[in-house]
Amino acid sequence: MKVIETINLSKVYNPDTVPVHALNGVNLEIERGEFTAIVGPSGSGKTTLLNIIGGLDNATSGSVIIEGTDIAKLKGGALINFRLHNIGFVFQAYNLIPVLTAKENVEFIMLLQNRPIAEREARVSELLKAVGLEDKIEKRPSELSGGQQQRVAVARALASKPQFVLADEPTANLDSKSAENLLDIMLRLNEEENMTFIFSTHDVRVIRRARRVVTLEDGQIVSDVFQKKTQEIMN
Amino acid sequence: MIGTLSWRNLWRNRRRTFITVASILFAVVFANTMDALLVGINQQMTDSMVGIYSGHVQVQQADFWEDKSLHNTFVPDEKLTSYLDKMPEVKGYSTRLESVALASAENLTKGVLVVGIEPEKEKQITGLESKIQTGDYFHGNPGDAIIGKGLAEYLDIQPGDTLVMLGEGYHGASAAGKYHICGTIRMGSPDLDNNLVFLMLPEAQMFFAAYDRVTSMPVFLNENVSQKAVEAQLQPVLPEGFILQPWQKMMPMVTQSLGLVDAMRIIVLAMLYILISFGILGTIIMMTNERLRELKVLLAVGMQRWKMAVMILLESVLIAIIGAALGFAVSYPVVSYMNEHPITFRGRAAAGWESFGIDPVMPTVVDFGIFTTHSLVILLLSVLLSFYALNKIRHLQVVSAKR
Ligand SMILES: Nc1ncnc2c1ncn2[C@@H]1O[C@H](COP(=O)(O)OP(=O)(O)OP(=O)(O)O)[C@@H](O)[C@H]1O
Ligand SMILES: [Mg+2]
């Protein structure tokens, strides 16, 4: 089942001054449960693609269909609400609200969704346990390592029960051990919760863990490869 | 949830919050004290001039104001006095005989304003007795006179001394009398204090040979009574040829000075508010801009703009509330202290104030209405200034168009 479909997506920055063609006709379909890495050289359009899929930026032409909804048709508050209920975000850094604890950061998204307290409590502890931070629930972001902060961000992204999670270079600020650890957690959540992940990365070790690797160059998809699970490769 | 966020955000940058709160506190205390002082000056001026001396309106012969001669005296009208007795708005009224004379002591002479009063009535209605500086109030001893403090200093006399007065009486009779000074009085108006001689009414009538006659009936109103309404009510009861003279007309200097003090008050407060506004705005600008990244993340993950706006608004309002509340709390003792220990100007400064007809002793007014007003204004200002942040949030984009 298709969760995301982009049709002939193009993006031109600064069309009136110095036009930059960041995306040139990207057609991409993502099925439920996929674990997809978007890779490519710097400036190839990875961030631009993820931003447009996530409804954070507008395409110049083409469209993004999420679960049958053309998100370009959503305006203002409706778009914000759509993001809240359908998309989980993990950014490269500064994901968390500094004044809230790990637990509160995860709960925050569910509060925005007006979920009942019992459900919130259960889901928050389940998720923080899943990302291995059950002993850090009362810690504020400043008391957590970069890797731990990103794990909280992943937990928060999942808390809203979104259709999929978008992560733009989630491991860029992490050392390789933390990066692999974060990816392993994402993979496990992908398998256990059948959560769809789309993330961009430069890191080979991260790419190795992806099930599908979409390569961009100059705003175009130049290759789209399905890989086997890491264990299967090992075997 | 938004409340928690705002509250914690306040303590993110403790020092800044503390400085902002402190500056608001200071501004509120300053505004309150300043205002209490200026309102106090106004009130003292009106009280001492109107409440104690002139009354709010005076019943006079129509021509008296233009020609303050004893020809324009009258015998109080029964119908009018019994009407005044029944009016609930009226705190009291008295009758006076006022005219000028020459006063001398030893070898100094000065023109004075002789005012014959009903000592018991004045004491009850205006609390005149409390204004006595040295010596005593009238106790019915014949020949007693009370003189203004400034006059006493000028003539270099004190209670126990003798004062001789010469003048012209009713129908051109010559007036002369020798009086025993029983006390000196301070009315709070330099004009009066330098010129005033109080006599008991019958003795003044005797001095001026104007038996049973008076020049004016000052009418004193209760607090919070509309002077205009009372005037309208009294007008029809006045006998032919009489008028109601409002204090504003009788004392244009005071009216002007009140206006001056009011203007000063507005200027000082406006400047203060402008200063404090910049302080609050600075905090709001920093509070917003240093968090733009965080606000963008919040917007991305699905927090509605209005919720962010409420969060920021709450933060500035909380700071303002804390500052204003502390300011309110600190103002009370400060203003009370200045009420008990009024600022007193001496020497040249005193002369300057006095030339405006303002008493150089300045007690503050302890008025919670003033405190509340300024606290609320500060609160309102912080809400208005938050529009900077609200506007920022309104135009916030997760992905900026340019970079
Ligand atoms: N806001 C913007 N305004 C103008 N040009 C932009 C903007 N954002 C991106 N670009 C340009 O669009 C192109 C694609 O940028 P994008 O950030 O999507 O690349 P990327 O693949 O994410 O690169 P990196 O690996 O460095 O993160 C680049 O040429 C970039 O300079
Ligand atoms: Mg990028």
Side-chain angles (χ1 to χ4, degrees):
Chain A
M1 205 173 76
K2 272 186 294 196
V3 183
I4 306 167
E5 183 180 7
T6 75
I7 304 164
N8 217 3
L9 207 58
S10 293
K11 175 72 180 179
V12 183
Y13 288 110
N14 314 327
D16 306 322
T17 52
V18 192
V20 179
H21 294 265
L23 294 179
N24 294 304
V26 173
N27 291 295
L28 180 66
E29 286 185 11
I30 305 278
E31 299 281 328
R32 179 166 308 288
E34 279 188 4
F35 196 73
T36 308
I38 310 285
V39 304
S42 183
S44 58
K46 305 181 292 292
T47 298
T48 305
L49 179 61
L50 291 184
N51 281 345
I52 295 176
I53 292 176
L56 303 178
D57 200 358
N58 303 316
T60 308
S61 65
S63 45
V64 177
I65 313 289
I66 293 172
E67 288 281 317
T69 305
D70 183 348
I71 61 167
K73 300 226 159 69
L74 297 171
K75 292 280 175 298
L79 181 61
I80 298 175
N81 250 338
F82 184 84
R83 289 201 296 264
L84 173 63
H85 291 280
N86 296 282
I87 311 174
F89 288 93
V90 179
F91 300 100
Q92 190 175 323
Y94 307 105
N95 272 292
L96 305 177
I97 304 172
V99 294
L100 297 184
T101 63
K103 170 177 178 280
E104 289 165 337
N105 261 288
V106 178
E107 192 182 2
F108 180 74
I109 221 88
M110 301 171 76
L111 275 165
L112 289 178
Q113 291 180 317
N114 294 319
R115 293 282 164 85
I117 177 144
E119 184 191 337
R120 295 199 310 257
E121 302 263 315
R123 183 95 177 125
V124 168
S125 39
E126 177 189 64
L127 282 169
L128 282 174
K129 197 162 168 220
V131 298
L133 291 174
E134 58 268 47
D135 55 337
K136 305 274 188 224
I137 52 173
E138 296 300 342
K139 297 271 189 252
R140 292 210 182 171
S142 58
E143 301 167 299
L144 298 174
S145 73
Q148 290 168 336
Q149 289 180 31
Q150 289 304 74
R151 276 142 67 188
V152 176
V154 168
R156 182 191 63 189
L158 262 74
S160 63
K161 300 219 164 120
Q163 302 290 345
F164 59 91
V165 173
L166 285 179
D168 190 10
E169 310 216 26
T171 60
N173 288 0
L174 304 183
D175 59 80
S176 55
K177 193 159 165 290
S178 309
E180 286 175 41
N181 177 252
L182 185 73
L183 254 287
D184 287 339
I185 286 168
M186 283 164 59
L187 253 179
R188 212 181 54 241
L189 288 164
N190 166 252
E191 282 162 16
E192 285 170 7
E193 302 215 1
N194 196 33
M195 179 54 66
T196 315
F197 280 88
I198 309 159
F199 53 93
S200 69
T201 186
H202 281 118
D203 188 336
V204 243
R205 269 169 300 197
V206 171
I207 299 173
R208 234 183 14 224
R209 284 171 163 76
R211 302 293 317 283
R212 178 182 175 187
V213 180
V214 175
T215 310
L216 283 181
E217 244 168 61
D218 293 329
Q220 286 176 318
I221 297 177
V222 292
S223 86
D224 188 350
V225 189
F226 287 81
Q227 306 188 127
K228 292 194 166 157
K229 286 192 188 174
T230 330
Q231 294 102 307
E232 293 167 21
I233 300 169
M234 302 266 197
N235 290 342
Chain B
M1 168 193 59
I2 293 178
T4 316
L5 265 180
S6 301
W7 180 251
R8 289 198 195 158
N9 277 328
L10 282 193
W11 307 113
R12 244 166 121 161
N13 193 330
R14 274 158 214 266
R15 191 187 316 180
R16 185 173 65 216
T17 303
F18 177 78
I19 289 173
T20 316
V21 165
S23 61
I24 293 176
L25 182 153
F26 179 78
V28 169
V29 172
F30 193 74
N32 282 340
T33 311
M34 198 67 208
D35 213 8
L37 189 66
L38 293 178
V39 171
I41 292 173
N42 266 3
Q43 193 157 313
Q44 162 165 298
M45 252 157 63
T46 9
D47 275 2
S48 63
M49 301 302 292
V50 177
I52 293 179
Y53 188 66
S54 75
H56 295 86
V57 290
Q58 286 190 4
V59 178
Q60 299 172 349
Q61 280 243 330
D63 297 333
F64 177 72
W65 196 248
E66 294 303 320
D67 175 16
K68 286 201 184 88
S69 83
L70 291 165
H71 296 297
N72 291 320
T73 53
F74 60 95
V75 180
D77 177 65
E78 237 6 89
K79 221 176 77 196
L80 180 65
T81 52
S82 60
Y83 189 83
L84 282 171
D85 282 333
K86 276 181 255 146
M87 273 180 81
E89 293 91 342
V90 172
K91 187 177 166 197
Y93 65 91
S94 70
T95 52
R96 291 183 191 155
L97 178 65
E98 260 183 55
S99 195
V100 289
L102 273 179
S104 52
E106 307 264 313
N107 38 20
L108 283 168
T109 301
K110 191 174 186 304
V112 295
L113 179 69
V114 180
V115 182
I117 59 169
E118 301 171 88
E120 277 314 301
K121 254 192 164 175
E122 299 274 356
K123 181 172 142 184
Q124 267 172 33
I125 303 168
T126 67
L128 194 63
E129 189 177 15
S130 67
K131 297 287 162 184
I132 292 290
Q133 293 292 296
T134 56
D136 275 320
Y137 193 62
F138 291 113
H139 289 300
N141 301 324
D144 270 358
I146 296 174
I147 67 173
K149 184 169 166 271
L151 181 62
E153 279 160 14
Y154 179 83
L155 294 177
D156 194 21
I157 45 177
Q158 42 197 314
D161 291 346
T162 302
L163 187 74
V164 174
M165 292 202 292
L166 287 173
E168 188 191 324
Y170 192 44
H171 287 316
S174 68
K178 198 170 113 185
Y179 297 91
H180 166 256
I181 296 168
C182 66
T184 64
I185 196 160
R186 189 167 168 286
M187 301 296 290
S189 149
D191 260 357
L192 287 176
D193 290 337
N194 294 335
N195 295 303
L196 194 66
V197 176
F198 278 131
L199 298 179
M200 290 179 280
L201 184 60
E203 297 205 338
Q205 286 166 337
M206 190 127 68
F207 177 74
F208 289 118
Y211 304 99
D212 294 332
R213 306 187 76 84
V214 300
T215 49
S216 58
M217 288 173 60
V219 177
F220 297 87
L221 304 182
N222 282 316
E223 265 175 57
N224 303 322
V225 165
S226 156
Q227 185 182 329
K228 284 265 173 309
V230 172
E231 283 176 29
Q233 215 178 323
L234 278 177
Q235 209 69 52
V237 198
L238 285 183
E240 182 69 25
F242 282 76
I243 57 157
L244 288 174
Q245 193 72 268
W247 69 267
Q248 288 90 342
K249 177 112 184 279
M250 291 186 281
M251 293 180 295
M253 267 292 272
V254 176
T255 317
Q256 266 173 30
S257 301
L258 287 177
L260 184 82
V261 172
D262 253 347
M264 230 166 77
R265 188 176 151 233
I266 287 165
I267 292 169
V268 169
L269 289 177
M271 279 181 351
L272 198 63
Y273 281 143
I274 289 171
L275 277 181
I276 192 65
S277 293
F278 278 112
I280 300 177
L281 184 63
T283 302
I284 291 177
I285 289 177
M286 282 191 283
M287 228 160 57
T288 319
N289 284 311
E290 72 187 9
R291 255 159 62 201
L292 278 185
R293 206 173 212 145
E294 188 181 321
L295 293 173
K296 283 181 184 178
V297 170
L298 290 177
L299 185 62
V301 302
M303 188 176 193
Q304 294 290 354
R305 289 175 207 271
W306 68 265
K307 286 189 181 171
M308 285 189 234
V310 171
M311 175 176 83
I312 298 259
L313 197 65
L314 215 56
E315 284 170 31
S316 19
V317 168
L318 274 173
I319 289 188
I321 287 182
I322 297 173
L326 289 176
F328 194 108
V330 173
S331 297
Y332 179 70
V334 170
V335 172
S336 302
Y337 179 85
M338 289 178 64
N339 177 266
E340 278 155 35
H341 305 85
I343 298 177
T344 310
F345 290 101
R346 288 177 217 287
R348 249 203 289 170
W353 285 102
E354 283 182 343
S355 66
F356 283 107
I358 301 176
D359 198 26
V361 177
M362 305 179 170
T364 53
V365 166
V366 184
D367 178 352
F368 285 101
I370 292 180
F371 294 2
T372 314
T373 307
H374 294 304
S375 306
L376 286 181
V377 169
I378 295 277
L379 218 61
L380 192 74
L381 275 178
S382 64
V383 171
L384 285 180
L385 293 168
S386 302
F387 273 86
Y388 169 84
L390 302 193
N391 195 45
K392 262 258 141 84
I393 289 174
R394 203 156 69 87
H395 294 114
L396 189 67
Q397 292 298 331
V398 182
V399 179
S400 39
K402 291 215 176 75
R403 67 171 186 194

